[in-house]
Amino acid sequence: MVKSISAVSSPVPGEYPEATRAELRATELGVALTASYASGAIVEGIVTNTLNLFLLFYVTTVCGMSPALAGVAMAIGLLVDAIADPLIGSWSDHHRSRFGRRLPFMIIATPLVLVSLVAIFSLPDWPNQTSLFILLSMLSILVRVSVSLFNLPYIAVGAEVTDDYNER
């Protein structure tokens, strides 16, 4: 008999002994839990696609920034993100809290993603290219790292929720 994971009374990860956690990972997840987990991919999808499709056009056309400076500022964000990703993943793997290893990162990252995405598309109309470059670089770093702060723990949850390859 396959139990549904929603039949478990305590929602706090890490509260169960290892044997019980193994039993929970072996249970069927159900449509509601699967759909709610899948909705987390919206964060990464929307932000990354929005940045990749519109940011360079916005910064060069609307803000009047040099295309070369805009490209370098965006590249700085990607380079810092490449360094931050393994650090965030390791931090998330070793973090312990009453809310589990992953959820605190996702909760903190959600407003950061929202604020940084709005801020990067609300750049001021500065004639000084250097100031605009510095601001775009900082916001590019913030938006990329905040997405990673949400997305890396989110992806790791999938492997921890079930042992069934097809459900993951």
Side-chain angles (χ1 to χ4, degrees), residues 32-45:
L33 184 61
T34 304
S36 64
Y37 173 74
S39 68
I42 293 171
V43 172
E44 199 268 337

Side-chain angles (χ1 to χ4, degrees), residues 31-140:
V31 175
L33 184 61
T34 304
S36 64
Y37 173 74
S39 68
I42 293 171
V43 172
E44 199 268 337
I46 287 175
V47 174
T48 302
N49 287 329
T50 301
L51 291 176
N52 292 343
L53 292 174
F54 300 117
L55 186 58
L56 190 60
F57 172 78
Y58 168 75
V59 171
T60 57
T61 305
V62 176
C63 299
M65 187 175 199
S66 157
L69 284 177
V72 170
M74 292 168 58
I76 289 171
L78 288 170
L79 288 172
V80 171
D81 184 47
I83 295 167
D85 279 359
L87 300 173
I88 292 169
S90 178
W91 188 19
S92 172
D93 287 344
H94 296 96
H95 182 74
R96 299 286 181 256
S97 78
R98 67 182 199 156
F99 301 109
R101 294 189 291 179
R102 315 300 181 185
L103 189 60
F105 291 92
M106 295 166 64
I107 289 171
I108 290 169
T110 302
L112 286 175
V113 170
L114 178 65
V115 168
S116 63
L117 186 63
V118 168
I120 206 164
F121 283 100
S122 302
L123 293 173
D125 187 20
W126 289 343
N128 186 346
Q129 293 277 305
T130 305
S131 299
L132 195 57
F133 171 78
I134 292 169
L135 181 61
L136 179 61
S137 298
M138 291 186 328
L139 288 172
S140 180

Side-chain angles (χ1 to χ4, degrees), residues 139-158:
L139 288 172
S140 180
I141 291 168
L142 180 63
V143 74
R144 296 287 182 176
V145 170
S146 63
V147 167
S148 292
L149 201 59
F150 178 88
N151 200 42
L152 294 171
Y154 161 75
I155 290 170
V157 166

